[in-house]
Amino acid sequence: MLIGEVARYSGVSARMLRHYDSLGLVRPTDRTGGGYREYSDEDIRRIFHIESLRSLGLSLREVGRALDDPGFAPSELVEDLIRQTRARIAAETELLTRLRRIGSAEPAGWHDVLQTVALLQALASKSPETRQRAALSSADEAPVPVEALVEAVLGETDPSVAGALRWALARSGEDGLPLLARGLGSPLAEVRDRAVRAVAEIPGDRATGLLREALSDADVAVRGHAALELGARGVPEAVPTLVDMVVEEANDVAAADALSALASGPALADRITGLLVDRLAHDATGPSARRRLAQALADVPGDAAVRALTDLSRDADRAVALTAAYVLGMRGAH
């Protein structure tokens, strides 16, 4: 079969077939009387073998070794090709992500594109100061895509940078909430904690709904941040978690303040008093926790709280009794 026929049959161009010949990969078995290359069936099979190996990413030099070296072991080369392919996919995925983020910023011109690229690079910097400046400048320069901000928020470990990123994300409104919701579903508690802190700085019912869901989180810090913000938003579902925080001394002062704010309504005040009293009576509640619970009753209005404090002023634990008596005195003074 002549070279033109082989090219049509195999899909390999005549120019490439000549290149294979010059490299010694496929040398035609015969020549016609006029000197034209003539390929045998075995030559054509070798061409297909070459193309199959090239489709795996092998170089022509590696293809030659694979076909001609009897001692050639493919396993090491295949593993190397797997590593190269993974690295290439990772690089292409990163590029795709960056392009999508630039597109979501809806740049009006190349100047906007360059600004966005610069901000994205700054957010990925190893320098906390650079990342913080990028977050703070995002409001004045080309806007950072919300997806990039959320990713930065969920991965940031520096407290100052994290605060700046949350501020920048909150300025984008509710756009980041679906992505933060994914963060709240992370198997890593630290990621869920960063997500709930970011949600807490975004106003609106959608954010409140996510905070409600976070009340059932397995991590005490995540539950606590959700409860404190829900308390500030006047959401009654936060009360049991806030009481737990007082007992467990987990940001207990802020939790007591949140309970006080929620207790402004008479019905909720009695409910809060009841929960605090129940925990005071619980056998597993230790002396220091009982003192904190008595202190938490200080700013809960209503007769039920006064009655509870009066009972506590006669408590067998002298420290609890003194705390309750002091609180009653302060309430009387006001």
Side-chain angles (χ1 to χ4, degrees):
M1 191 178 292
L2 299 181
I3 190 169
E5 296 173 291
V6 173
R8 287 193 298 273
Y9 180 64
S10 67
V12 181
S13 70
R15 180 178 180 183
M16 184 59 73
L17 290 170
R18 293 188 188 95
H19 184 51
Y20 289 171
D21 188 359
S22 68
L23 295 175
L25 279 173
V26 183
R27 288 207 168 106
T29 303
D30 297 309
R31 292 270 181 172
T32 67
Y36 294 106
R37 294 173 175 86
E38 189 167 18
Y39 292 82
S40 66
D41 290 343
E42 185 60 33
D43 296 333
I44 294 171
R45 276 194 295 273
R46 185 176 173 91
I47 290 169
F48 282 119
H49 290 162
I50 291 170
E51 294 305 301
S52 295
L53 292 174
R54 285 189 65 200
S55 72
L56 298 178
L58 274 69
S59 68
L60 291 177
R61 176 174 169 275
E62 290 165 336
V63 168
R65 284 184 57 212
L67 293 176
D68 299 327
D69 184 354
F72 179 77
S75 56
E76 184 176 341
L77 179 58
V78 169
E79 286 300 317
D80 188 49
L81 288 170
I82 290 172
R83 287 191 293 270
Q84 292 177 26
T85 302
R86 283 176 175 163
R88 188 168 63 251
I89 290 172
E92 292 294 325
T93 301
E94 182 180 352
L95 175 60
L96 177 61
T97 298
R98 180 173 295 186
L99 289 170
R100 279 184 22 243
R101 289 174 178 174
I102 292 171
S104 68
E106 299 181 351
W110 285 111
H111 178 70
D112 291 346
V113 170
L114 293 173
Q115 280 191 317
T116 301
V117 170
L119 284 170
L120 290 174
Q121 289 174 335
L123 284 176
S125 170
K126 293 182 179 180
S127 164
E129 293 79 9
T130 301
R131 298 197 302 274
Q132 186 175 29
R133 282 197 300 271
L136 295 175
S137 66
S138 65
D140 303 319
E141 300 179 17
V144 175
V146 169
E147 183 181 351
L149 278 176
V150 172
E151 181 180 314
V153 164
L154 297 181
E156 185 55 63
T157 58
D158 186 282
S160 298
V161 181
L165 287 167
R166 290 196 299 269
W167 170 82
L169 183 58
R171 288 175 62 90
S172 67
E174 297 184 336
D175 292 348
L177 288 177
L179 296 170
L180 289 172
R182 295 182 197 172
L184 288 171
S186 170
L188 302 176
E190 59 267 29
V191 174
R192 300 198 304 276
D193 186 56
R194 293 170 196 146
V196 78
R197 286 170 177 259
V199 173
E201 297 194 21
I202 299 173
D205 293 341
R206 291 176 64 192
T208 300
L210 289 178
L211 292 170
R212 280 191 173 100
E213 293 176 16
L215 286 175
S216 61
D217 194 273
D219 185 75
V220 63
V222 176
R223 295 196 304 273
H225 287 125
L228 289 173
E229 179 58 26
L230 287 170
R233 298 186 187 203
V235 178
E237 289 94 324
V239 170
T241 301
L242 291 170
V243 173
D244 288 342
M245 292 170 68
V246 173
V247 173
E248 295 162 9
E249 202 173 4
N251 208 355
D252 55 294
V253 175
D257 290 342
L259 287 170
S260 173
L262 284 167
S264 57
L268 196 52
D270 288 347
R271 180 189 171 200
I272 291 171
T273 298
L275 286 172
L276 292 171
V277 169
D278 287 346
R279 296 302 293 269
L280 278 160
H282 200 284
D283 292 339
T285 305
S288 60
R290 296 183 80 245
R291 287 194 294 274
R292 290 193 296 275
L293 288 164
Q295 291 167 351
L297 280 166
D299 294 321
V300 179
D303 294 339
V306 172
R307 288 193 297 272
L309 287 166
T310 301
D311 291 342
L312 286 171
S313 67
R314 300 186 288 270
D315 196 86
D317 186 318
R318 180 169 174 77
V320 172
L322 288 173
T323 298
Y326 175 77
V327 170
L328 281 171
M330 293 296 293
R331 290 174 73 110
H334 288 85

